[in-house]
Amino acid sequence: MLLAVILFAYQAWRAGSALMDAQSQARSLTSALNAGDLRGAESAALDLRRSTARAHGETDGVLWGIGSKVPWLGRNIGAVQTSADVLDAISAHSLPTLLSLAGEVDHGRLRPRHGRVDLAEIRRLTPSVQRAAAAVDGPAARMAQVDPDGLVYPLNGLVDELRTKVADAHTAIDAAADAFEVLPTMLGADGPRSYLLLVQNNAEIRSTGGMPGSWSVLHARNGKLTMGDQGDAAKFTIGRSPLKLSAEESALFGSQLGLDPRDITMDPDFPTVARIAARLAASHGHRVDGVFAVDPVALSQVLQGTGPVRLANGAVLNAANAVPALLNGVYRTVDSPAAQNDFYASAARQAFDALVAGRGDQVRAIRGLVIAASQHRVLAWSDIPRVARVIGRNKLSGALPTSTGSPEVGVYLNDGGGGKMEYYLRQSATATATSCTDNGTQHLQFSATFRSAATPAVAGYPIWVTGTGAITKPGVMLMSLFVYGPWHGSITSLSVNGRPVTVTGNLHDGHQVGILPVQLRPGQSMTVTGTMVSGPRQPGDVHVTSTPGMETEPDPATFPSACG
């Protein structure tokens, strides 16, 4: 027995040391990939593979199987054993494919040439990418079930970080597999395709991001991408809605949702937004197979890879100045709506041309798109059945959540002032699960804070920034806040700066919706708090989705479940 204890302690020490090394190497790997340093990433991955193999070898034995059954201590032993097994499986079977894929891009084999993507190369790589994605599904699910709460220090922090790294790797390889599955179809391998690209203006905020300030039509045929017509979204206006709205949507957003393209993004359900946009485009002679939406923050992240672009008026946009130029500067310096729209359209065209031409560091450009997608800044919809199925199972869909096994809370904003004041908006939202019932229903506490970072001097800015003053005083931010409770759950209370307010009974696709006015003077803040109850069989972690603004945080934000 003594020898067994000594042997187990020695193995535990070696396994813990190997996992600590793996933690450090995973950080190095992430940093290298973010920086586009493929050689550094390959070196870190090789070290990671050695560490995870060592950790797995130390924990794969009879003593560990017995130890995992011991009360209290067994939970910690099991966490180490699972972590080692999962990391070893991923680093052995999936990580090499991810690095190989990055290498294909880095060496130019997937780089667009003269606007054309090599579809044969996509088809060649697809089976290996899909095998890698399948190989990581099981290990990632096992790692997600390891709860770091209650583990001994420093194991709790180590397991928590490793869970995040595994989840990130799972998301990345799944996204790659999805992309490879549908790219040939989307790029016109079986016939020409057309898409509508909307650039959302976060400075005039809407639920999905912002007012669609400009549109472009993209064409794809046999892997070649081109940009066709462009214009101001307001020109898509028609006299009647092209899509029959539900009674819930009409009650929440009014008839303008389907009539004025500048208001279609008030609905937080992007598939609905996209269907309206597609039909508006068709009514003006543009039949499209799908709709994409991006915002200036997403464009700036792409420019980190492609490098700067020169616009038609001679201005140069880069990763550092794109956001302030597109969301604020143009409205302070250009006194013509037509010229402002031209500035936006030129930015969209030049960024698109740089990306499809394969300019700059393509790994960093693609990484920028991935980061933007994780922040809810890249949204997609298609009426091509095969493509729609793939989009529908990931965050690109922007669909209102239904039964995911987790409580899903929404915090959406719609501008009411008619200016571009939300460039100065700063917001944050959190949720805490306080209890869990036997059927997986969770009780939640919710909090969201909104602050105007503007100074009093903003009142003297042009009306394109402040609004005309007909609705509110110049420099004052005016918005409507839509708080969405969990699917088939309820919002039981809401308060503004500590004062209770009436909870509305509005519903939208199974979510109760609370609507509150938000009015902020320069420097003013407002905090909304509340309590909610999830629907049954939602024992997972709590997710809070917010309208993307100036902050660049992952969306949705995730908070621990109370169900353990």
Side-chain angles (χ1 to χ4, degrees):
M1 178 66 74
L2 179 60
L3 288 174
V5 170
I6 292 173
L7 176 59
F8 180 80
Y10 176 69
Q11 290 178 335
W13 172 77
R14 284 179 55 85
S17 175
L19 286 177
M20 294 293 284
D21 289 343
Q23 179 188 40
S24 175
Q25 290 147 2
R27 290 173 182 167
S28 298
L29 175 61
T30 301
S31 297
L33 286 173
N34 288 344
D37 178 10
L38 186 58
R39 183 169 297 180
E42 290 171 342
S43 176
L46 182 59
D47 291 339
L48 177 63
R49 176 72 188 98
R50 291 168 179 154
S51 295
T52 58
R54 191 167 77 249
H56 180 249
E58 295 293 347
T59 60
D60 185 24
V62 175
L63 290 177
W64 286 81
I66 296 172
S68 65
K69 305 295 191 296
V70 176
W72 182 78
L73 185 61
R75 184 180 177 191
N76 292 273
I77 293 171
V80 173
Q81 194 175 35
T82 299
S83 299
D85 184 32
V86 166
L87 290 175
D88 187 52
I90 292 175
S91 62
H93 301 299
S94 298
L95 188 55
T97 300
L98 274 176
L99 290 174
S100 174
L101 187 57
E104 296 283 347
V105 176
D106 188 61
H107 295 142
R109 285 185 284 274
L110 291 179
R111 184 185 298 271
R113 298 185 185 279
H114 306 294
R116 188 183 299 278
V117 176
D118 188 345
L119 297 183
E121 192 70 10
I122 295 288
R123 292 190 182 98
R124 181 183 71 81
L125 292 169
T126 296
S128 61
V129 175
Q130 291 179 334
R131 284 194 299 269
V136 80
D137 285 344
R142 290 178 55 207
M143 194 68 197
Q145 293 174 356
V146 179
D147 185 1
D149 293 339
L151 299 180
V152 297
Y153 176 84
L155 181 60
N156 54 351
L158 172 64
V159 168
D160 190 36
E161 182 173 345
L162 292 177
R163 278 207 328 167
T164 300
K165 296 295 184 188
V166 169
D168 288 346
H170 188 209
T171 300
I173 194 66
D174 269 359
D178 285 347
F180 273 69
E181 180 180 343
V182 299
L183 268 176
T185 298
M186 294 184 71
L187 294 176
D190 51 1
R193 303 289 185 184
S194 294
Y195 304 96
L196 185 67
L197 173 66
L198 302 176
V199 180
Q200 301 193 83
N201 189 324
N202 315 88
E204 188 170 347
I205 207 162
R206 298 285 191 273
S207 291
T208 61
M211 182 194 72
S214 70
W215 57 266
S216 306
V217 178
L218 310 180
H219 301 288
R221 185 183 183 94
N222 293 325
K224 186 174 179 63
L225 274 168
T226 56
M227 181 177 284
D229 291 344
Q230 291 184 281
D232 174 7
K235 294 179 180 178
F236 276 168
T237 302
I238 59 176
R240 59 184 180 83
S241 175
L243 187 72
K244 183 175 176 56
L245 302 177
S246 70
E248 294 177 348
E249 289 166 333
S250 296
L252 284 169
F253 310 112
S255 61
Q256 284 298 104
L257 180 67
L259 297 177
D260 191 332
R262 293 167 295 187
D263 289 331
I264 60 176
T265 49
M266 290 173 63
D267 191 325
D269 184 60
F270 187 72
T272 299
V273 171
R275 284 193 291 269
I276 295 174
R279 295 196 184 186
L280 285 171
S283 70
H284 286 73
H286 299 285
R287 168 70 178 87
V288 297
D289 299 291
V291 178
F292 297 98
V294 298
D295 68 10
V297 179
L299 293 179
S300 74
Q301 289 164 336
V302 171
L303 292 176
Q304 290 181 4
T306 64
V309 295
R310 185 175 295 276
L311 307 189
N313 66 354
V316 175
L317 283 190
N318 56 43
N321 71 7
V323 172
L326 288 165
L327 295 181
N328 187 251
V330 66
Y331 301 106
R332 293 176 61 181
T333 59
V334 179
D335 196 28
S336 162
Q340 293 165 1
N341 293 333
D342 288 344
F343 188 82
Y344 246 77
S346 180
R349 180 174 290 275
Q350 295 305 318
F352 172 82
D353 287 348
L355 185 63
V356 301
R359 276 181 43 186
D361 186 334
Q362 285 285 286
V363 174
R364 293 191 70 179
I366 293 172
R367 175 69 178 169
L369 275 176
V370 171
I371 292 172
S374 76
Q375 298 166 359
H376 231 67
R377 301 182 186 280
V378 179
L379 301 171
W381 169 87
S382 177
D383 64 357
I384 305 170
R386 182 183 180 188
V387 177
R389 283 194 299 271
V390 172
I391 292 175
R393 62 183 184 234
N394 62 56
K395 290 175 62 173
L396 287 176
S397 73
L400 275 180
T402 53
S403 180
T404 63
S406 292
E408 305 276 354
V409 177
V411 184
Y412 306 112
L413 292 163
N414 284 303
D415 174 80
K420 301 294 183 291
M421 282 299 300
E422 281 78 52
Y423 175 74
Y424 304 99
L425 176 66
R426 304 295 179 263
Q427 58 179 330
S428 62
T430 63
T432 302
T434 57
S435 64
C436 176
T437 66
D438 290 341
N439 70 347
T441 298
Q442 298 193 62
H443 290 76
L444 314 175
Q445 292 180 344
F446 159 81
S447 177
T449 298
F450 309 95
R451 179 177 65 85
S452 172
T455 65
V458 77
Y461 289 173
I463 60 171
W464 316 116
V465 177
T466 65
T468 63
I471 301 174
T472 187
K473 292 181 179 180
V476 175
M477 220 176 276
L478 181 64
M479 300 171 287
S480 293
L481 168 65
F482 294 75
V483 179
Y484 277 60
W487 190 65
H488 284 185
S490 62
I491 302 172
T492 51
S493 71
L494 285 175
S495 296
V496 175
N497 293 333
R499 300 181 63 178
V501 296
T502 301
V503 180
T504 57
N506 297 83
L507 294 175
H508 188 188
D509 290 350
H511 298 264
Q512 185 179 355
V513 184
I515 307 174
L516 298 171
V518 179
Q519 186 166 314
L520 300 173
R521 297 186 304 275
Q524 189 178 17
S525 64
M526 167 180 161
T527 298
V528 177
T529 57
T531 56
M532 302 177 179
V533 179
S534 78
R537 294 180 295 282
Q538 295 180 20
D541 288 343
V542 184
H543 301 146
V544 180
T545 299
S546 302
T547 295
M550 296 300 100
E551 284 77 17
T552 55
E553 297 296 325
D555 192 71
T558 300
F559 304 94
S561 166
C563 296

